[in-house]
Amino acid sequence: EGDSFDLNTKGLVTADRKQRKDAFWYYKAQWSSEPVLHLTGKRYAERAYPVMEVRAYSNAARASLSLNGQALGEVDCPQRICAWPGVALRPGANHAVVTATIGGAQVRDEADWTGPDPAQGLRIAAGSLGGKLVAGRRFGSDNFVTGGTPVVLNMGGFGGRRLMAPRAVAAPEPALYDYWREGEAFSYALPLGNGAWRATVHTFEPRPAAADTVMMRVTANGKVAVPAFSVKQAAGGALKGVARSFPVRVQGGQLRLDFVGTNGKAVVAAIEIVPDVSPKAAPRAGR
């Protein structure tokens, strides 16, 4: 169903029948004897993250990728999927070209993506398959994560009918809590520039019957950033949002955030990483 309520979004073409979705090209690459080479994610043109995995569906044995005129190499296409992980986008316009030889014929496909400014950090809508804009801030889909389970606050139903009464989270920005990720332990490995940043974790207790003894701890690159605390107590009850902010320092281009639940599950609705502009923060690399 994707992220749409009361709408089946799994079809091979868009609802107006004007565009063939990536899934169409996946099946064609699997079944057709015609040459097939298709870059995925074209409709996701304005990217939320400065790093992405570029994928193409093809019945070629191998395919080559270039981004902004720079060759990124040739890869195998097992099961009709060609993938280039960890491709860095430059801020602004990016033009990708994929090429392959199929049955002696040269084929190609192209895509254009707009990359964000990595110096501005990143924002993640935990648990969500699609990003969102909240108060002018772009949150990307749930990514860079290992472990845990995505959950939706209000599950839609056919014909507008729901299995249960809709729930709402009391918070300054309720839209941040439409989805979340939960688990006894899970982690995010976020691509960030070296230097000083400020992280904010938005959380809440989704279960009214949860005990106050359910605790959550956050570590950043192996160091305790937020000691274990009761989210329910801190928020003043269940279904109430609360945020925890803390400074972090990145080395090696990656920030690892680990979330651990005690006597229950840790819950993360959104993560924001922004430049740390406090007087004590050291300049980031490149400043």
Side-chain angles (χ1 to χ4, degrees):
E1 301 295 338
D3 270 16
S4 300
F5 293 144
D6 301 326
L7 178 66
N8 186 322
T9 59
K10 299 190 293 292
L12 301 185
V13 296
T14 54
D16 59 10
R17 308 298 192 264
K18 293 182 178 180
Q19 296 185 60
R20 296 169 176 175
K21 297 183 181 181
D22 291 338
F24 171 93
W25 295 103
Y26 174 79
Y27 283 114
K28 186 166 184 176
Q30 296 287 348
W31 294 339
S32 178
S33 59
E34 300 175 4
V36 177
L37 182 62
H38 171 76
L39 275 170
T40 68
K42 293 178 182 178
R43 292 190 296 153
Y44 181 13
E46 188 171 350
R47 294 277 163 165
Y49 302 128
V51 177
M52 65 177 289
E53 180 181 72
V54 177
R55 283 192 169 204
Y57 296 148
S58 180
N59 50 12
R62 295 176 63 81
S64 298
L65 175 71
S66 67
L67 182 68
N68 303 321
Q70 180 180 357
L72 299 183
E74 186 179 46
V75 300
D76 293 328
C77 302
Q79 299 180 332
R80 309 301 199 218
I81 300 172
C82 327
W84 294 264
V87 174
L89 301 175
R90 68 186 181 191
N94 292 264
H95 184 66
V97 177
V98 63
T99 58
T101 301
I102 306 174
Q106 293 287 326
V107 293
R108 61 182 279 151
D109 195 25
E110 303 178 20
D112 291 291
W113 297 303
T114 301
D117 183 357
Q120 299 304 311
L122 54 78
R123 295 176 171 88
I124 294 178
S128 176
L129 291 174
K132 64 177 71 176
L133 281 174
V134 178
R137 311 192 312 278
R138 180 173 295 279
F139 288 77
S141 61
D142 204 7
N143 209 329
F144 315 113
V145 64
T146 302
T149 302
V151 187
V152 59
L153 181 66
N154 291 304
M155 182 64 70
F158 291 106
R161 296 187 297 272
R162 296 182 180 273
L163 299 177
M164 61 182 67
R167 298 181 294 173
V169 175
E173 297 174 321
L176 289 178
Y177 301 87
D178 290 339
Y179 301 85
W180 71 90
R181 180 169 290 271
E182 66 179 25
E184 295 181 356
F186 55 93
S187 63
Y188 285 83
L190 307 177
L192 289 165
N194 294 341
W197 300 88
R198 177 158 291 273
T200 300
V201 175
H202 299 269
T203 182
F204 74 115
E205 175 52 63
R207 299 169 181 83
D212 291 347
T213 54
V214 176
M215 313 286 279
M216 183 173 80
R217 185 183 77 245
V218 185
T219 62
N221 286 340
K223 298 181 179 179
V224 175
V226 180
F229 73 106
S230 168
V231 173
K232 187 175 181 180
Q233 282 189 334
L239 294 174
K240 294 183 178 181
V242 64
R244 287 291 183 266
S245 296
F246 48 91
V248 293
R249 184 167 296 279
V250 174
Q251 294 180 335
Q254 186 181 92
L255 170 63
R256 181 184 174 96
L257 296 179
D258 287 282
F259 300 90
V260 177
T262 303
N263 299 324
K265 296 179 179 179
V267 171
V268 175
I271 300 172
E272 298 188 75
I273 312 291
V274 299
D276 191 341
V277 296
S278 63
K280 294 183 180 179
R284 290 189 303 282
R287 263 184 162 180

